[in-house]
mmCIF file of all heavy atoms in Angstrom:
data_model
loop_
_atom_site.group_PDB
_atom_site.id
_atom_site.type_symbol
_atom_site.label_atom_id
_atom_site.label_comp_id
_atom_site.label_asym_id
_atom_site.label_seq_id
_atom_site.Cartn_x
_atom_site.Cartn_y
_atom_site.Cartn_z
ATOM 1 N N THR A 320 179.847 157.928 143.383
ATOM 2 C CA THR A 320 178.817 158.910 143.035
ATOM 3 C C THR A 320 178.325 159.603 144.297
ATOM 4 O O THR A 320 177.969 158.937 145.277
ATOM 5 C CB THR A 320 177.633 158.234 142.321
ATOM 6 O OG1 THR A 320 178.100 157.605 141.122
ATOM 7 C CG2 THR A 320 176.561 159.254 141.968
ATOM 8 N N ASP A 321 178.330 160.924 144.253
ATOM 9 C CA ASP A 321 177.815 161.725 145.361
ATOM 10 C C ASP A 321 176.289 161.708 145.283
ATOM 11 O O ASP A 321 175.706 162.257 144.340
ATOM 12 C CB ASP A 321 178.363 163.156 145.249
ATOM 13 C CG ASP A 321 177.924 164.059 146.391
ATOM 14 O OD1 ASP A 321 176.953 163.717 147.088
ATOM 15 O OD2 ASP A 321 178.550 165.130 146.569
ATOM 16 N N SER A 322 175.643 161.091 146.250
ATOM 17 C CA SER A 322 174.184 160.930 146.203
ATOM 18 C C SER A 322 173.454 162.271 146.194
ATOM 19 O O SER A 322 172.343 162.370 145.673
ATOM 20 C CB SER A 322 173.704 160.087 147.384
ATOM 21 O OG SER A 322 174.046 160.710 148.629
ATOM 22 N N THR A 323 174.090 163.317 146.752
ATOM 23 C CA THR A 323 173.416 164.625 146.786
ATOM 24 C C THR A 323 173.286 165.219 145.387
ATOM 25 O O THR A 323 172.450 166.100 145.163
ATOM 26 C CB THR A 323 174.164 165.615 147.700
ATOM 27 O OG1 THR A 323 175.490 165.836 147.185
ATOM 28 C CG2 THR A 323 174.271 165.076 149.110
ATOM 29 N N ASN A 324 174.119 164.749 144.441
ATOM 30 C CA ASN A 324 174.030 165.253 143.066
ATOM 31 C C ASN A 324 172.871 164.645 142.298
ATOM 32 O O ASN A 324 172.570 165.063 141.182
ATOM 33 C CB ASN A 324 175.335 164.979 142.316
ATOM 34 C CG ASN A 324 176.486 165.829 142.819
ATOM 35 O OD1 ASN A 324 176.274 166.910 143.365
ATOM 36 N ND2 ASN A 324 177.710 165.338 142.653
ATOM 37 N N LEU A 325 172.230 163.630 142.883
ATOM 38 C CA LEU A 325 171.147 162.934 142.198
ATOM 39 C C LEU A 325 169.776 163.455 142.600
ATOM 40 O O LEU A 325 168.749 162.949 142.128
ATOM 41 C CB LEU A 325 171.230 161.426 142.510
ATOM 42 C CG LEU A 325 172.564 160.750 142.145
ATOM 43 C CD1 LEU A 325 172.535 159.287 142.562
ATOM 44 C CD2 LEU A 325 172.856 160.894 140.657
ATOM 45 N N VAL A 326 169.751 164.438 143.471
ATOM 46 C CA VAL A 326 168.485 164.995 143.962
ATOM 47 C C VAL A 326 168.321 166.422 143.436
ATOM 48 O O VAL A 326 169.205 167.261 143.612
ATOM 49 C CB VAL A 326 168.441 165.007 145.509
ATOM 50 C CG1 VAL A 326 167.110 165.563 145.990
ATOM 51 C CG2 VAL A 326 168.677 163.604 146.049
ATOM 52 N N ALA A 327 167.196 166.677 142.776
ATOM 53 C CA ALA A 327 166.953 168.003 142.192
ATOM 54 C C ALA A 327 166.446 168.957 143.255
ATOM 55 O O ALA A 327 165.282 169.381 143.253
ATOM 56 C CB ALA A 327 165.943 167.881 141.045
ATOM 57 N N ASP A 328 167.339 169.308 144.201
ATOM 58 C CA ASP A 328 166.926 170.154 145.317
ATOM 59 C C ASP A 328 167.481 171.572 145.221
ATOM 60 O O ASP A 328 166.830 172.524 145.632
ATOM 61 C CB ASP A 328 167.348 169.523 146.653
ATOM 62 C CG ASP A 328 168.841 169.219 146.704
ATOM 63 O OD1 ASP A 328 169.500 169.303 145.655
ATOM 64 O OD2 ASP A 328 169.335 168.890 147.803
ATOM 65 N N VAL A 329 168.681 171.733 144.685
ATOM 66 C CA VAL A 329 169.262 173.069 144.540
ATOM 67 C C VAL A 329 169.268 173.442 143.067
ATOM 68 O O VAL A 329 169.071 172.594 142.185
ATOM 69 C CB VAL A 329 170.695 173.111 145.120
ATOM 70 C CG1 VAL A 329 170.670 172.863 146.612
ATOM 71 C CG2 VAL A 329 171.606 172.108 144.426
ATOM 72 N N VAL A 330 169.519 174.717 142.789
ATOM 73 C CA VAL A 330 169.382 175.226 141.421
ATOM 74 C C VAL A 330 170.260 174.456 140.438
ATOM 75 O O VAL A 330 169.793 174.024 139.375
ATOM 76 C CB VAL A 330 169.726 176.730 141.379
ATOM 77 C CG1 VAL A 330 169.731 177.235 139.937
ATOM 78 C CG2 VAL A 330 168.728 177.529 142.206
ATOM 79 N N ARG A 331 171.547 174.268 140.792
ATOM 80 C CA ARG A 331 172.443 173.595 139.835
ATOM 81 C C ARG A 331 171.965 172.173 139.551
ATOM 82 O O ARG A 331 172.003 171.721 138.394
ATOM 83 C CB ARG A 331 173.874 173.593 140.354
ATOM 84 C CG ARG A 331 174.865 173.000 139.358
ATOM 85 C CD ARG A 331 176.288 173.085 139.843
ATOM 86 N NE ARG A 331 176.837 174.423 139.785
ATOM 87 C CZ ARG A 331 177.374 174.955 138.684
ATOM 88 N NH1 ARG A 331 177.397 174.281 137.538
ATOM 89 N NH2 ARG A 331 177.875 176.166 138.728
ATOM 90 N N ASN A 332 171.523 171.448 140.579
ATOM 91 C CA ASN A 332 171.038 170.084 140.367
ATOM 92 C C ASN A 332 169.783 170.066 139.493
ATOM 93 O O ASN A 332 169.596 169.173 138.662
ATOM 94 C CB ASN A 332 170.750 169.404 141.705
ATOM 95 C CG ASN A 332 172.017 168.929 142.384
ATOM 96 O OD1 ASN A 332 173.117 169.135 141.883
ATOM 97 N ND2 ASN A 332 171.871 168.293 143.542
ATOM 98 N N LYS A 333 168.899 171.043 139.684
ATOM 99 C CA LYS A 333 167.686 171.105 138.856
ATOM 100 C C LYS A 333 168.038 171.346 137.399
ATOM 101 O O LYS A 333 167.434 170.758 136.494
ATOM 102 C CB LYS A 333 166.757 172.209 139.378
ATOM 103 C CG LYS A 333 166.082 171.871 140.703
ATOM 104 C CD LYS A 333 165.214 173.013 141.185
ATOM 105 C CE LYS A 333 164.545 172.641 142.525
ATOM 106 N NZ LYS A 333 163.726 173.752 143.065
ATOM 107 N N ILE A 334 169.034 172.220 137.177
ATOM 108 C CA ILE A 334 169.460 172.474 135.802
ATOM 109 C C ILE A 334 170.094 171.222 135.203
ATOM 110 O O ILE A 334 169.819 170.844 134.054
ATOM 111 C CB ILE A 334 170.441 173.655 135.757
ATOM 112 C CG1 ILE A 334 169.703 174.961 136.086
ATOM 113 C CG2 ILE A 334 171.115 173.767 134.391
ATOM 114 C CD1 ILE A 334 170.599 176.163 136.225
ATOM 115 N N ARG A 335 170.933 170.536 136.009
ATOM 116 C CA ARG A 335 171.634 169.345 135.524
ATOM 117 C C ARG A 335 170.670 168.187 135.254
ATOM 118 O O ARG A 335 170.779 167.504 134.227
ATOM 119 C CB ARG A 335 172.680 168.910 136.548
ATOM 120 C CG ARG A 335 173.433 167.629 136.147
ATOM 121 C CD ARG A 335 174.359 167.169 137.246
ATOM 122 N NE ARG A 335 175.362 168.185 137.523
ATOM 123 C CZ ARG A 335 175.647 168.647 138.745
ATOM 124 N NH1 ARG A 335 174.985 168.165 139.792
ATOM 125 N NH2 ARG A 335 176.575 169.561 138.915
ATOM 126 N N LEU A 336 169.724 167.968 136.172
ATOM 127 C CA LEU A 336 168.876 166.784 136.107
ATOM 128 C C LEU A 336 167.571 166.986 135.330
ATOM 129 O O LEU A 336 166.977 166.013 134.851
ATOM 130 C CB LEU A 336 168.544 166.306 137.527
ATOM 131 C CG LEU A 336 169.748 165.928 138.403
ATOM 132 C CD1 LEU A 336 169.289 165.646 139.821
ATOM 133 C CD2 LEU A 336 170.492 164.737 137.821
ATOM 134 N N GLN A 337 167.137 168.253 135.220
ATOM 135 C CA GLN A 337 165.835 168.496 134.602
ATOM 136 C C GLN A 337 165.911 169.393 133.372
ATOM 137 O O GLN A 337 165.382 169.054 132.312
ATOM 138 C CB GLN A 337 164.878 169.105 135.633
ATOM 139 C CG GLN A 337 164.610 168.189 136.827
ATOM 140 C CD GLN A 337 163.773 168.870 137.912
ATOM 141 O OE1 GLN A 337 163.548 170.075 137.898
ATOM 142 N NE2 GLN A 337 163.303 168.085 138.871
ATOM 143 N N VAL A 338 166.595 170.557 133.507
ATOM 144 C CA VAL A 338 166.580 171.546 132.421
ATOM 145 C C VAL A 338 167.417 171.095 131.229
ATOM 146 O O VAL A 338 166.946 171.092 130.078
ATOM 147 C CB VAL A 338 167.066 172.915 132.937
ATOM 148 C CG1 VAL A 338 167.118 173.916 131.780
ATOM 149 C CG2 VAL A 338 166.151 173.427 134.038
ATOM 150 N N LEU A 339 168.673 170.712 131.470
ATOM 151 C CA LEU A 339 169.542 170.325 130.349
ATOM 152 C C LEU A 339 169.028 169.092 129.600
ATOM 153 O O LEU A 339 169.059 169.073 128.357
ATOM 154 C CB LEU A 339 170.972 170.113 130.839
ATOM 155 C CG LEU A 339 171.799 171.397 131.012
ATOM 156 C CD1 LEU A 339 173.162 171.096 131.620
ATOM 157 C CD2 LEU A 339 171.969 172.119 129.680
ATOM 158 N N PRO A 340 168.528 168.052 130.309
ATOM 159 C CA PRO A 340 167.950 166.924 129.560
ATOM 160 C C PRO A 340 166.776 167.352 128.677
ATOM 161 O O PRO A 340 166.615 166.855 127.554
ATOM 162 C CB PRO A 340 167.499 165.962 130.658
ATOM 163 C CG PRO A 340 168.429 166.247 131.801
ATOM 164 C CD PRO A 340 168.633 167.726 131.748
ATOM 165 N N LEU A 341 165.939 168.285 129.176
ATOM 166 C CA LEU A 341 164.817 168.773 128.385
ATOM 167 C C LEU A 341 165.312 169.545 127.167
ATOM 168 O O LEU A 341 164.797 169.368 126.048
ATOM 169 C CB LEU A 341 163.916 169.658 129.247
ATOM 170 C CG LEU A 341 162.684 170.261 128.554
ATOM 171 C CD1 LEU A 341 161.781 169.144 128.021
ATOM 172 C CD2 LEU A 341 161.918 171.148 129.522
ATOM 173 N N LEU A 342 166.334 170.387 127.354
ATOM 174 C CA LEU A 342 166.908 171.130 126.225
ATOM 175 C C LEU A 342 167.518 170.174 125.211
ATOM 176 O O LEU A 342 167.458 170.425 123.994
ATOM 177 C CB LEU A 342 167.966 172.114 126.732
ATOM 178 C CG LEU A 342 167.463 173.302 127.554
ATOM 179 C CD1 LEU A 342 168.634 174.141 128.063
ATOM 180 C CD2 LEU A 342 166.517 174.175 126.740
ATOM 181 N N SER A 343 168.105 169.073 125.692
ATOM 182 C CA SER A 343 168.708 168.090 124.780
ATOM 183 C C SER A 343 167.653 167.364 123.958
ATOM 184 O O SER A 343 167.933 166.893 122.847
ATOM 185 C CB SER A 343 169.535 167.072 125.577
ATOM 186 O OG SER A 343 170.639 167.713 126.189
ATOM 187 N N GLU A 344 166.437 167.248 124.494
ATOM 188 C CA GLU A 344 165.345 166.677 123.711
ATOM 189 C C GLU A 344 164.972 167.604 122.553
ATOM 190 O O GLU A 344 164.646 167.155 121.456
ATOM 191 C CB GLU A 344 164.124 166.441 124.597
ATOM 192 C CG GLU A 344 164.285 165.305 125.604
ATOM 193 C CD GLU A 344 163.033 165.102 126.439
ATOM 194 O OE1 GLU A 344 161.962 165.606 126.034
ATOM 195 O OE2 GLU A 344 163.120 164.465 127.505
ATOM 196 N N ILE A 345 165.035 168.904 122.826
ATOM 197 C CA ILE A 345 164.729 169.890 121.785
ATOM 198 C C ILE A 345 165.849 169.929 120.757
ATOM 199 O O ILE A 345 165.612 169.986 119.542
ATOM 200 C CB ILE A 345 164.525 171.282 122.410
ATOM 201 C CG1 ILE A 345 163.344 171.250 123.383
ATOM 202 C CG2 ILE A 345 164.316 172.341 121.339
ATOM 203 C CD1 ILE A 345 163.206 172.516 124.215
ATOM 204 N N ASN A 346 167.099 169.912 121.264
ATOM 205 C CA ASN A 346 168.270 169.925 120.386
ATOM 206 C C ASN A 346 169.371 169.130 121.060
ATOM 207 O O ASN A 346 169.885 169.554 122.098
ATOM 208 C CB ASN A 346 168.723 171.361 120.128
ATOM 209 C CG ASN A 346 169.894 171.438 119.164
ATOM 210 O OD1 ASN A 346 170.547 170.439 118.865
ATOM 211 N ND2 ASN A 346 170.162 172.641 118.660
ATOM 212 N N PRO A 347 169.760 167.978 120.519
ATOM 213 C CA PRO A 347 170.793 167.157 121.145
ATOM 214 C C PRO A 347 172.111 167.891 121.360
ATOM 215 O O PRO A 347 172.909 167.479 122.208
ATOM 216 C CB PRO A 347 170.970 166.004 120.146
ATOM 217 C CG PRO A 347 169.670 165.942 119.408
ATOM 218 C CD PRO A 347 169.207 167.365 119.313
#
Side-chain angles (χ1 to χ4, degrees):
T320 300
D321 182 342
S322 60
T323 62
N324 290 335
L325 303 177
V326 181
D328 55 349
V329 296
V330 174
R331 184 176 286 276
N332 282 2
K333 288 178 180 178
I334 291 173
R335 178 185 299 130
L336 300 173
Q337 298 174 349
V338 177
L339 279 175
L341 180 60
L342 291 176
S343 295
E344 290 181 17
I345 299 171
N346 183 346

